[in-house]
Amino acid sequence: MPYEEQLRQKQRAAASTLSQWSVDWLPAQASEEAYFRNKAKMVVGGRQGRVTLGILDRQQHGVDLTGCELHERPLLDALPALSRWINDSGLTPYSVPGRQGELKHVLLTVSPDAEIALRFVMRSEAQLGRIRRGLDALRAAVPGIRAVSANLQPEHKAVLEGDVEIELSDEHRLPMRLGPVTLQLGNRSFFQTNTPVTRALYARASEWVLDGEPGSVWDLFCGVGGFALHAAERARAREVNVSLDIVGVEVSEDAIEGAQLAAAAAGVDARFVAGDATQMAARGEAIPDVVIVNPPRRGITSLAAWLNDSGAERIIYSSCNPKTLQLDIEAMPRYRPARAQLFDMFPHTAHSEVLVELVRR
């Protein structure tokens, strides 16, 4: 399907989901058609000395996708070299039919500066020594590698990663430079898959946040602080309401630490709190003028009722699932969606990111 038609269909689908409200839709933010994906989540198949990195077919045989042109070019350069290094190191691919072997997945994320964070998902610690001994050769084979870790996923089930993460390099974070803000990604930090479109998303959201010159902003589900830091930077650049109080809230302490490091490096005034969003008022924090939410696919669920009663003037909602977005808006009848924009994070799929501004009635 021609890309222009893909984008039109996504726009129609998103608008249909919110059709019960009168929404001002901005033009959709398009993506590049290839070389846009900053993450590679590759299943390791094949056998020792002849691995494949990609997916498994219906017979559970490895299908190599190291040349997949969805990935950014630094990943396309890195994956074949990584495959050769795995073969040389003697790591044993995990066999799904045989339920044996060690290496299950390799997960790579690339920054705008072509630096790479690499994670090996292993069944156990049995072959970690091979990885440690081969780190110098790995860095020589893939010069852009910055951070390396191993994740242990011992169970035989369709789960990408486990609970235990073992650092294998001195560097533990991947800097993601996005203009004046550089985010600091930990091993498990969430970041959108399409860096240029993510830049556009943060720019639009920070623009909407500052409309009306709010005095305070909360960024809930803030992760490593992308929305909060960009709003703080835009406020500083525009000298809008210099007393603006921006707070990011996230349950992951590692993500909060990354956000704090990024705020300090950027010299922007934003606070980050590890905890549950609904407990913010109990901590003595005053309800803000604007709330940003960027939840997982399941949406904000029970938080909708709390937000509906919060009294915040506006909510900026970034959603990767229009259906749960619709349900969440319906659960907040005191707010109406005023304007929206689609961001095509995922070309060649039916998925998209939608940014909506909700205004208190």
Side-chain angles (χ1 to χ4, degrees), residues 228-259:
L229 289 167
H230 280 79
E233 172 58 34
R234 181 178 283 261
R236 182 177 68 173
R238 290 172 49 183
E239 297 183 354
V240 173
N241 199 337
V242 293
S243 63
L244 177 62
D245 181 32
I246 297 182
V247 182
V249 186
E250 167 65 48
V251 294
S252 168
E253 293 186 1
D254 181 73
I256 288 297
E257 181 182 340

Side-chain angles (χ1 to χ4, degrees), residues 141-352:
V142 188
I145 285 182
R146 180 183 178 95
V148 184
S149 66
N151 179 274
L152 303 185
Q153 208 295 78
E155 299 182 77
H156 181 79
K157 61 182 182 181
V159 175
L160 186 64
E161 59 189 63
D163 296 329
V164 178
E165 193 84 17
I166 301 171
E167 306 287 356
L168 299 175
S169 62
D170 294 335
E171 295 284 353
H172 301 158
R173 295 189 183 276
L174 180 68
M176 295 291 288
R177 182 176 51 81
L178 305 172
V181 174
T182 299
L183 303 180
Q184 298 289 334
L185 303 190
N187 295 318
R188 296 168 179 260
S189 297
F190 170 78
F191 185 74
Q192 299 280 8
T193 61
N194 190 319
T195 303
V197 176
T198 300
R199 285 198 193 99
L201 173 67
Y202 286 155
R204 182 67 70 197
S206 61
E207 174 191 323
W208 288 359
V209 164
L210 295 183
D211 282 354
E213 299 190 6
S216 56
V217 178
W218 286 1
D219 180 5
L220 309 184
F221 308 95
C222 74
V224 292
F227 286 98
L229 289 167
H230 280 79
E233 172 58 34
R234 181 178 283 261
R236 182 177 68 173
R238 290 172 49 183
E239 297 183 354
V240 173
N241 199 337
V242 293
S243 63
L244 177 62
D245 181 32
I246 297 182
V247 182
V249 186
E250 167 65 48
V251 294
S252 168
E253 293 186 1
D254 181 73
I256 288 297
E257 181 182 340
Q260 292 168 341
L261 290 171
V268 299
D269 188 14
R271 295 184 292 128
F272 292 94
V273 177
D276 183 83
T278 59
Q279 300 303 310
M280 288 294 287
R283 293 167 53 96
E285 298 274 357
I287 298 298
D289 299 319
V290 179
V291 176
I292 308 167
V293 291
N294 180 32
R297 288 189 59 78
R298 64 178 179 273
I300 60 176
T301 60
S302 60
L303 187 62
W306 180 82
L307 281 172
N308 189 55
D309 295 333
S310 69
E313 289 297 322
R314 292 181 294 132
I315 299 170
I316 310 297
Y317 192 138
S318 182
S319 169
C320 61
N321 187 343
K323 178 50 66 175
T324 56
L325 170 65
Q326 176 189 359
L327 295 174
D328 286 339
I329 295 175
E330 290 173 348
M332 296 185 288
R334 293 180 179 173
Y335 292 85
R336 63 174 181 83
R339 49 184 170 176
Q341 186 173 10
L342 182 143
F343 294 82
D344 193 16
M345 294 284 181
F346 323 102
H348 317 304
T349 78
H351 299 288
S352 59

Side-chain angles (χ1 to χ4, degrees), residues 37-75:
R37 187 174 172 84
N38 59 35
K39 298 177 185 178
K41 300 180 178 182
M42 313 299 271
V43 179
V44 182
R47 55 184 173 83
Q48 189 176 37
R50 295 190 65 180
V51 303
T52 61
L53 303 182
I55 60 174
L56 300 180
D57 65 17
R58 292 179 180 178
Q59 288 73 44
Q60 307 300 318
H61 298 145
V63 178
D64 194 83
L65 293 177
T66 53
C68 176
E69 293 179 0
L70 294 183
H71 295 132
E72 288 192 27
R73 293 182 187 275
L75 293 180

Side-chain angles (χ1 to χ4, degrees), residues 96-145:
V96 174
R99 300 194 176 197
Q100 59 185 359
E102 288 297 323
L103 181 58
K104 293 185 171 184
H105 304 91
V106 290
L107 313 177
L108 300 89
T109 303
V110 63
S111 77
D113 297 309
E115 292 186 310
I116 293 172
L118 170 62
R119 302 171 67 203
F120 296 95
V121 181
M122 312 292 292
R123 186 176 68 159
S124 73
E125 297 185 43
Q127 293 190 342
L128 289 188
R130 293 178 183 266
I131 298 177
R132 288 192 173 100
R133 290 190 295 272
L135 282 178
D136 288 342
L138 176 60
R139 291 191 179 95
V142 188
I145 285 182

